Each structure stands twice: as structure tokens, then as C-alpha cells.
Amino acid sequence: MTDGGAGRTRGRPDARPGHRRRQVVLAAIAVLTVTAVANLGLFRVQEDAQDLADPHRALVRNDSDRLLALTLAHGRNVGARFTVYVWLGDQLPGSTVVVPPGYPFTDEGLLGLGRAEIELGDHQGELDPASADELLERAVIVDWFARQQRTARESSLERTGVPAVFASADFAVVVPDTGGGRRLLTYWSEDTVFLVDAVQANELGLPGAGS
Amino acid sequence: MTLEPLLLASISLLGSGLLVALGRRAGLEHVALAVPTGLALLVAVSLLLVVLPVPYSAALALVVVALVVAASLWRTRAWRAEGTDTGAVGALVGPAVVWASVVAVGTLAIRGLRFTRVTADSYEYLQLGGVLEALGGPAEDAHLMVARQLFVGAAHAPSWLGNEAYLVALAPLLLVSAIAAVVWVVRVARSPARAERYEMALLVAAVAAVLTANRTWFHAFYVNAHLAVGVYLLLIAAIPWLIGRRVLPPRMALVPALGIVAVVVGRPEAPSLLLLLLLPIVLAPTIPRPVVAGLVGSFALSVVAWWAGAVRSVTEWTAASPATIALAVAAGVVGLHLLAVPSGRRRAMRSFLPQVVVGGLGVGALAVPVATGQVELLRSSVEATAANLAGAGLWGALPWTLPVLLVVVATVLRLGDGALFWVPLLGFVPLAFLLASARDGAYRVGPGDSLNRMWMHVLLLAVTALVLTLLHGEERPSRRDGPRSRTAWRGRRTTKLGLSPDHDRYAARNPSARRRRWTAPTSRPPEPT
């Protein structure tokens, strides 16, 4: 570890040069190694892998750490054509969203859009019916924005002063009912994203509705 | 067909070009520094375009960066080292081009993985780039300009040239640079006179501990500034430390100077955070004054350019904005003031000022919430942070072991000029809780919490400080060694040159290191490739 000069321990005839430092270095290597092993155990690779194998499992897990599973799922579908349904009660309005290649998907996508443009508050917060209706209106705008990125940015700039950069849809966002608001669940299938009222989802027996 | 491999390879090549102009040719240096340096230069040029009456565009920023690098290469001594152009060209064709090629191929592979994560926050950060491009100058939106800042938007803006929204592979490449930077700093710091038997084992264990953490990989695929800030904070602390040890030439300070610009426009709390890094640099006796002047100047100019030049366009202020700007201006003034302090007084200040600043931050973190009636906010933040560090933040075992290791190692070993690392590390914690008060929002339990993400800012710094202290620290005398030993040890702490004894032993074996003024070695420097 040392040539002896730096870590010489004085005052004790039997002290070897750099002995304490060597002990500390070896202990540090051991602790860091144990940390790495423990980290691997805590990484939840298994859970992420299961999510990959079964996207619906990822959908119903109200877990914000779905990095590997959801980003993979998102990436796999980038460039695909999605239909977004905001399902509130008997209504089943929909709007087609075209997602050009390279556009990002996120597990906060719709809600991120909602937060950014209709100010729903925190992305884990409540989504009241009025906001949900507005979100539905925005879904049409999303479609329009997505057609031409540049055009959308410029048009948005003219209207709002801030250009819209993205259009995105979402998988598996669970919006907890934090009081007064309507709880919405998002479901994803091969080419469709459903944003479903939790009560309706429960009646339909959809997974995660009871959670 | 995407342009991203070409764009990222260009950023890497431009960074490498600047490194070559600085006389750096080792392969590991290009892996560690090329992308961060190229990116910081791009952001610095973007800041200039935003502030100056020139229409901002990503394409123009890239062109200006290319011109700056070309001019640097043209003027560099290395370019004319052997009377021909082959020196610099050879260096560029060698490791720089090889690494740029790896970046291009790696970009394609990373794009194939589709791991990149974009959240609502990412959208907002990226949005400013769109606003700047559309307006050709600063935006009026206070949230974008003050809370989100320039770095992410400017760094990803080249992606629009390929009609894409962001650079998918930028964050993963920054992780590669981050790990390479840790290794590079440790390897460069190694003195040829000392055989470090455990260096490799220590490096492997430290890098493994970082790379196995869930959140490290989250940041590696997350469109935000956290990982970049972490890399730049490491370079801002470590490169001046290496210059102080005479193992890097003073001109290498250009890299942390650019990093400072990137961090200033990367985080709203950057001025106060950078002050914590600059304070020990200003007070360090081993760092040449021109280097200190350059770093403080970079800090002051970029703070003024962004906060007084760009953000002035904001018409709708948030409550925190004036306070942030005041803090920024204060940080710049204090930095300039310290620069003017005579060396004798500076040496005296070194013995107490860092402790006073860190202690003051700690007291402030407790006093401000009490004074402003935000005690509940502080309590919630502390509880949430504790829960996150205990496991909810998904940092694995790192929060359990790394702080303990740092404390234990610091009690046994003392690193010369170690204040460059420990002041920002210790000051970061109370600063984070002060920020909670400033933004009037408590931290929350969960991996997406702001502070939980901000730990990435100091993780690389902490790990590097740990490894450097273990490899280069002086043993502190224990009680068993007796009072005579401790007196003798204290006497060895400073030498007639004001350098650490460790450096003097190195200098005794390396004549070039004894010179006050750094000169390039006649042969290839003994640095790893």
C-alpha cells in the first residue's frame, strides 16, 4: 500500500509502517464489495424482469420504480399508432394519437401532459372530473400536435407562448384518490391506452381496480 | 435514419479537440472527458448566444463550438510541436477518433435498447430548448427559466437537427464518462514513486458499489441534468486538486471552468452549491492563483450572464426567484472577494472558514424553518429523506455504507487539500434542506423525490474522495502514538512550499514537479491510457 514513509506509525517500536492504513484500505474494499453485492440483491432485477415478461403485471403495480420494464415496453411501441380512450362512466370518447419514431413514452406521459398543460398538480395527485374532461379535450390537441412536431411547436407558441414539444401516451399510471377527485387507472393493450375510471374498472373486473 | 450517432460523436470529437489543444492525448482522458467537455462547451456557447443579441439555434451553437475548437487547435503549441501538423492531427486521429467512433456505435446500440426514461419533469426541462429555438432568445416563462434552466434544453437541442426531441444516448454516455472520470482521477493522482498495491482492487470495488445501485442506472437513462451535474462537480473538485499536486498542468483548469458554466445553468441551486466547491479551491495554497482566478471568473461571469442577462427577460416572477438571484449574486461577490484576500490571511482563513461555512449552513438549515414557521416542512423532509436513504429511495446499500466509510476513513487518514472534497460533501446536506425551505415544499418518500435524485450530484465526488483518501491520505496519529508523535505529525502537515509532505516526497523523485511553474514533460507523461 505504501512505501512506508507516508503512513509510518511512530511511538510504538512494534508498529509497522502503514499498518493502520492497510487495515482501513482492506476494510474499505471489503465494505464496498459487500455494498455491491447487497445492491445487486436490492436492485429488484427479478421483479423488473417479471414486469418485462408480463406488462400487465407492471400495469397494476402502483410502483414508481418500473424503469426497466416500462421503458422497454415504451420503447417497443415507439412509432406505433395508439388510441387513447378516456373512459368516464358510459362515455367512451377516443382520439387517435400518432406517435412518431423517437417520441418518448413515459409512465407519467398523459399525466405529465396534464400537469404541464392543465395543471393537475403533482403527478401523483388527484384528477378531478373537470380536469379529466379537459384532459379529454387535450387528447385531441395531442393528436394535432403530433402530426408535425415543428408546426405543433410553432402553433403552440402562438397560442400559449410555450411550444409543445411532445405528445405522448401512457401505460399503467394509477392516480390515487386523494380526496374529492376521481381515481383513474390506465391500461395498456397492444395498440390502445385506456384511462378508466376506477369505479368502472372495478365493475368490469379489470386488474388493479381494487387496489 | 437518425442523426444522433453523428451528433454525439461530433460532441465527443469537439471535446477531444479541446483536450488535444490542452495537450492531453491519453486514451482514458478522452473516454472520461471528451463528452462532458464537448457538452459543457456547447452549453457555454448556447448561454452566450442566449445572452448576446444573436438568434439562438442549436445548429449555430454547434458551428460556433466547432470554430472555437478549431481555433484552439490552431493556436495550440502541440499543433506546431514538431514543426508540422502531425502532432495534433495524430493525436486526434488516435484516441479521439477511436472514442468518437465508439460513441457513434454505442449510440446506435443504446437507441436499440430503448431504456431512456422521460418524465414530466424531463418535458419541462427540454421545453426551454424549444422556446429558445422558436424565439431566438430568452423566454418570458419564469418556471422554465428559473426552475428548469438552460442545460438540459441546450444539451439536447442538437437532436432537433434530426427532427427528434432529445438525445437518447446522452445520459448513458455520461455514465461511461462518469466512471471513466473516477478511474482517471485516481490513476492520474498516483505518484510514480509509490506503489499502490490495492489501487485496482479499491477502484473495482468502488465502481462496483456505484454501478450496482438501482438509481445509478435510473440516472443513466433519465433525461435530466443530475448525472451531468455529478460528473461536472467531480471534475470541478478533482482537476484543481490534481493541478495542486502538480500532476496536471494549470491549463487543464479550462475543463472545470467549462463545467462550472454548465452547472450554473443546470440547477437553480447551483450558485450556492458551486460556492461550496470554490471556497476550498480559493483557500488552497497549492493551486496556482491564475487557476483560481479562472475558475472564480468562470463562475462569476456565467452567474451574471444567466441570472442578469438571460433571466432578466422573465416578466412573471415566482416567489423564490428574487431570493435565488440574490444568493447567486452574493456567491459571486464572495468568491471574488476571497480571491483578493492576501495569501497570509488566506492561510489563516483556511483553518476556520470552511468549518464556519458548513456549520453555518447546518445552523441555517435548522434556523430558517423555525424562523419562517416551516418546522413541519423540515420534519417531513427529514423523515422522508431518512426513509429514502433507508431503502425507499432505491439507492441500495450505498446510503448505509458510504457515509460510514467516509467518516471512518477521515478519522484515520487525512488527504492533503482534502477540503476540496469534504466541504461540498458536508455542505450539500444542510444546503439541500435549506432548499426545501426556499421552495416551500417538503421532500417526499419515493425514488422520484427531488433530493433523492440530487444525491447523484455528490455520489461520484464522495466515492472519488474516499478512494483518494485511502490511497494518498496521511495517517493521523492515534492516541496510542503519544503526544510527541502528534506534535511531530502536525509539524509535517505543511512544508516550506506549503504543500503536503506527500507531494514533497513525490517532488523529490520527480524534478519537474519541484518547479513552481508547470512545464510539459519532454516525453509522454506517465499517465495511464
Side-chain angles (χ1 to χ4, degrees), chain A residues 1 6-7 9-10 18 20-21 35-36 39 43 65 71-72 75 106-108 115 149-150 157 162-163 166 168, chain B residues 113-115 118 121 123 127 131 160 165 194 196 209 212 214-215 394 396-397 401 471 473 475-476 481 505:
Chain A
M1 182 63 231
T9 308
R10 299 180 178 182
R20 263 196 302 156
R21 182 151 78 141
T35 302
N39 282 350
F43 201 95
D65 181 51
T71 45
L72 266 186
T106 168
D107 64 338
E108 297 174 359
R115 183 172 76 151
Q149 184 185 356
R150 292 268 174 186
L157 188 69
V162 177
F166 302 107
S168 65
Chain B
L113 287 175
R114 292 292 184 188
F115 276 10
V118 181
D121 274 2
Y123 294 150
Q127 210 168 23
V131 175
W160 297 342
R194 288 171 60 162
E196 311 293 356
T212 49
N214 183 303
R215 290 296 93 181
L394 300 182
T401 57
L471 293 174
E475 274 191 22
R476 296 179 189 271
D481 294 336
R505 276 192 306 282

Side-chain angles (χ1 to χ4, degrees), chain A residues 113 117 145 149 152-154 156-157 160 162-167, chain B residues 127:
Chain A
L113 182 70
E117 300 202 348
F145 276 160
Q149 184 185 356
R153 191 158 51 222
E154 289 161 9
S156 172
L157 188 69
T160 65
V162 177
V165 180
F166 302 107
Chain B
Q127 210 168 23

Side-chain angles (χ1 to χ4, degrees), chain B residues 12 19 26-37 99 102-103 171-189 199-200 203-204 206-208 210-211 216-217 227 230-232 234-235 238-239 242 248 252 456 460 463-464 467-468 527-529:
Chain B
S12 173
L19 292 174
L28 183 58
E29 282 177 336
H30 289 275
V31 178
L33 303 178
V35 171
T37 304
W99 175 238
V102 172
V103 166
L173 287 173
L174 279 173
L175 179 66
V176 175
S177 296
I179 299 304
V182 172
V183 175
W184 173 72
V185 168
V186 172
R187 302 271 286 177
V188 169
E199 180 186 283
M200 190 52 68
L203 263 176
V204 168
V207 168
V210 171
L211 283 184
T216 300
W217 289 99
L227 181 55
V231 175
Y232 289 127
L234 167 63
L235 298 179
I239 290 182
L242 292 166
L248 282 182
M252 273 298 281
M456 193 68 231
L460 300 168
V463 168
T464 307
V467 175
L468 289 177
E527 290 162 17
T529 56

Side-chain angles (χ1 to χ4, degrees), chain B residues 101-120:
Chain B
S101 306
V102 172
V103 166
V105 174
T107 299
L108 280 175
I110 291 165
R111 286 178 65 87
L113 287 175
R114 292 292 184 188
F115 276 10
T116 302
R117 183 184 178 91
V118 181
T119 66

Side-chain angles (χ1 to χ4, degrees), chain A residues 69-154:
Chain A
L70 286 179
T71 45
L72 266 186
H74 297 167
R76 195 175 56 203
N77 291 284
V78 167
R81 177 180 289 265
F82 284 84
T83 302
V84 175
Y85 291 104
V86 181
W87 191 351
L88 300 168
D90 294 332
Q91 298 176 333
L92 191 63
S95 175
T96 300
V97 177
V98 180
V99 185
Y103 270 63
F105 272 78
T106 168
D107 64 338
E108 297 174 359
L110 270 179
L111 295 179
L113 182 70
R115 183 172 76 151
E117 300 202 348
I118 59 177
E119 296 181 349
L120 292 173
D122 189 89
H123 64 272
Q124 296 287 341
E126 70 179 67
L127 185 64
D128 59 49
S131 296
D133 291 338
E134 198 170 351
L135 184 63
L136 175 61
E137 292 177 12
R138 296 283 171 161
V140 180
I141 298 172
V142 166
D143 181 27
W144 178 75
F145 276 160
R147 289 177 191 158
Q148 289 290 332
Q149 184 185 356
R150 292 268 174 186
T151 305
R153 191 158 51 222
E154 289 161 9

Side-chain angles (χ1 to χ4, degrees), chain B residues 271-363:
Chain B
S272 44
L273 187 57
L274 283 171
L275 184 62
L276 285 172
L277 278 112
L278 287 173
L279 176 67
I281 291 175
V282 169
L283 295 174
T286 54
I287 301 174
R289 303 329 289 170
V291 169
V292 177
L295 296 176
V296 172
S298 166
F299 171 72
L301 283 175
S302 50
V303 166
V304 170
W306 178 247
W307 289 102
V311 179
R312 68 179 155 72
S313 65
V314 172
T315 54
E316 182 189 344
W317 288 105
T318 61
S321 303
T324 311
I325 292 180
L327 187 61
V329 173
V333 170
V334 171
L336 287 171
H337 176 71
L338 281 173
L339 186 67
V341 172
S343 61
R345 200 181 306 166
R346 197 165 52 230
R347 192 169 293 117
M349 291 170 73
R350 192 165 43 122
S351 63
F352 71 90
L353 193 55
Q355 290 89 331
V356 168
V357 169
V358 172
L361 277 173
V363 171

Side-chain angles (χ1 to χ4, degrees), chain B residues 374 377 380-381 432-433 435-444 449-450:
Chain B
Q374 294 175 306
L377 181 147
S380 303
S381 293
F433 287 105
L435 284 174
S437 300
R439 69 172 194 170
D440 197 19
Y443 296 122
R444 61 185 172 86
D449 168 59
S450 295

